């Protein structure tokens, strides 16, 4: 008798599938467009600015700032693109927001401005575009947050009302950047106060505790000292934070300590009570030494034949 034990599990082979299609080669390779300079002028400028921003440090600040000034901004569209790149870099790296805010404060003086699109419109400037992007980003983030929290309440009302981590971090980075611009006197106190008021007056204010504490640590002292009306408004904000500690006992420990810290800071006349004799951290403009000092130390010199530092090419040399 023939052994048919293996015949049961053998599957008849079907037609062999065709091989996967190969990669389509472009008519003009991408690298050749870069080498031959076939890219549009605007794209070349944006790539240059993106490269400069990736190298930005305190030590190389003056060299890279000069390269940004001379990057070739000739149209409002290029200015818009460059501003968006700088803003995105600052928001995604909130630790370096002081450096980016100081850079924007100086670039607003040297970047070109363009006439308005409309007859009665305002002039197109770097700082105006930057503040418009900050406002649009804040409004968009809060709109998305409200929609997401509303969906969470509809689907699972007992769950924590939180929205996406990426959106929250981006919104917080935007607020931190606005605070640093206010320190550079580029974002007026009114703008920061309006954002603070909007966050405090929301129903689910516990979601915005970190942003509120950040704003109060930045402009709280100015609100106390500017006028009696603003001080009364500031009292309302701090009373709301105190209420959060009792109304929401389930608040995260990290956020509770943020509230305690900002309450103690104001109670101690805006001096850290735990470190009253602490040496004040240097501001970013104190870390970036003036150009004349660096020139005397021999670390940066002008290119030969140039007298105007704004138009010169900087060269790094070793200290003598």
């Amino acid at each position: 008798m023939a052994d048919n034990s293996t015949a049961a599990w053998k599957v008849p082979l079907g037609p062999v599938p065709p091989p996967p299609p190969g990669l389509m080669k472009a008519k003009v390779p991408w690298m050749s467009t870069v080498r031959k300079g076939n890219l549009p002028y605007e794209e070349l400028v944006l790539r240059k600015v993106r490269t400069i921003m990736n190298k930005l440090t305190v030590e190389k600040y003056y060299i890279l700032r000069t390269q940004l000034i001379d990057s070739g901004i000739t149209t409002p569209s290029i200015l818009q693109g460059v501003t968006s790149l700088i803003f995105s870099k600052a928001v995604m790296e909130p630790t370096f927001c002081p450096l980016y805010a100081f850079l924007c404060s100086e670039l607003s003086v040297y970047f070109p401005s363009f006439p308005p699109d409309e007859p009665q419109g305002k002039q197109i400037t770097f700082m105006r575009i930057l503040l418009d992007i900050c406002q649009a980003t804040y409004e968009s983030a809060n709109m998305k947050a409200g929609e997401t929290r509303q969906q969470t309440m509809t689907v699972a009302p007992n769950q924590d009302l939180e929205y996406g981590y990426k959106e929250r971090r981006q919104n917080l980075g935007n607020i931190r950047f606005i605070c640093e611009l206010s320190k550079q006197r580029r974002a007026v106190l009114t703008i920061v106060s309006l954002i603070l008021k909007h966050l405090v007056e929301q129903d689910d204010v516990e979601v915005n505790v970190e942003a509120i504490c950040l704003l109060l640590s930045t402009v709280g002292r100015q609100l106390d000292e500017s006028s009696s009306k603003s001080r009364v408004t500031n009292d309302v904000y701090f009373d709301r934070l105190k209420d959060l500690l009792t109304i929401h006992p389930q608040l995260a420990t990290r956020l509770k300590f943020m509230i305690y810290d900002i309450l103690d800071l104001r109670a101690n006349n805006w001096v850290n009570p735990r470190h009253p004799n602490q040496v004040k951290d240097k501001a970013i403009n104190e870390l970036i030494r003036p150009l004349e000092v660096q020139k005397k130390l021999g670390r940066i010199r002008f290119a030969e034949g140039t007298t105007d530092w704004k138009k010169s090419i900087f060269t790094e040399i070793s200290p003598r």
Side-chain angles (χ1 to χ4, degrees), residues 24-39 47:
M24 298 293 293
K25 291 187 177 181
K27 296 181 180 179
V28 182
W30 178 80
M31 283 304 298
S32 66
T33 60
V34 177
R35 292 169 181 168
K36 295 180 182 179
N38 295 331
L39 289 175
R47 288 190 179 188

Side-chain angles (χ1 to χ4, degrees), residues 206-223:
E206 66 275 10
V207 179
N208 303 313
V209 168
E210 189 172 357
I212 294 171
C213 292
L214 175 63
L215 287 165
L216 287 174
S217 64
T218 303
V219 300
R221 184 168 188 169
Q222 299 179 43
L223 290 175

Side-chain angles (χ1 to χ4, degrees), residues 271-272 275-283 286:
V271 177
N272 194 330
H275 304 284
N277 299 324
Q278 183 181 18
V279 179
K280 184 181 178 182
D281 294 336
K282 290 186 177 181
E286 296 174 344

Side-chain angles (χ1 to χ4, degrees), residues 78-285:
I78 297 177
L79 181 62
Q80 177 77 34
V82 171
T83 308
S84 299
L85 285 177
I86 297 175
F87 171 79
S88 300
K89 191 74 173 175
V91 170
M92 298 310 295
E93 299 178 5
T95 306
F96 301 99
C97 273
L99 178 61
Y100 294 129
F102 182 73
L103 173 67
C104 292
S105 178
E106 292 204 324
L107 291 180
S108 63
V109 179
Y110 299 109
F111 270 177
S113 57
F114 300 94
D117 298 331
E118 302 176 356
Q120 302 297 329
K122 296 182 179 180
Q123 203 171 24
I124 302 175
T125 62
F126 169 73
M127 191 54 64
R128 182 176 298 279
I129 296 175
L130 182 63
L131 293 178
D132 287 344
I133 294 176
C134 291
Q135 179 182 354
T137 303
Y138 175 78
E139 293 175 353
S140 175
N142 282 274
M143 185 181 298
K144 291 180 181 178
E147 294 174 355
T148 306
R149 291 194 295 269
Q150 186 65 31
Q151 294 175 2
T152 306
M153 292 177 63
T154 305
V155 178
N158 295 327
Q159 294 183 2
D160 292 336
L161 305 181
E162 292 190 4
Y163 52 102
Y165 174 81
K166 182 178 179 181
E167 288 77 8
R168 285 190 288 115
R169 300 314 300 177
Q170 183 179 10
N171 190 31
L172 189 61
N174 182 29
I175 293 174
R176 186 184 297 271
F177 185 53
I178 294 174
C179 290
E180 294 299 332
L181 287 175
S182 68
K183 293 179 182 179
Q184 298 294 332
R185 301 294 188 269
R186 292 300 176 180
V188 295
L189 183 62
T190 307
I191 298 176
V192 185
S193 302
L194 289 175
I195 296 177
L196 180 60
K197 180 181 179 182
H198 176 261
L199 293 176
V200 172
E201 290 180 350
Q202 291 184 8
D203 295 333
D204 49 352
V205 68
E206 66 275 10
V207 179
N208 303 313
V209 168
E210 189 172 357
I212 294 171
C213 292
L214 175 63
L215 287 165
L216 287 174
S217 64
T218 303
V219 300
R221 184 168 188 169
Q222 299 179 43
L223 290 175
D224 278 347
E225 298 175 353
S226 59
S227 64
S228 57
K229 182 179 179 180
S230 62
R231 184 176 180 85
V232 172
T233 305
N234 215 17
D235 292 337
V236 175
Y237 299 156
F238 277 88
D239 290 340
R240 191 69 187 275
L241 287 178
K242 292 177 184 178
D243 295 339
L244 285 178
L245 296 174
T246 55
I247 298 175
H248 300 281
Q250 75 283 2
L251 202 64
T253 305
R254 181 178 66 91
L255 300 179
K256 288 182 180 179
F257 277 109
M258 283 186 179
I259 297 177
Y260 287 132
D261 287 343
I262 194 66
L263 292 177
D264 293 343
L265 188 64
R266 192 193 190 203
N268 202 43
N269 198 21
W270 301 101
V271 177
N272 194 330
R274 292 191 294 273
H275 304 284
N277 299 324
Q278 183 181 18
V279 179
K280 184 181 178 182
D281 294 336
K282 290 186 177 181
I284 193 66
N285 55 347

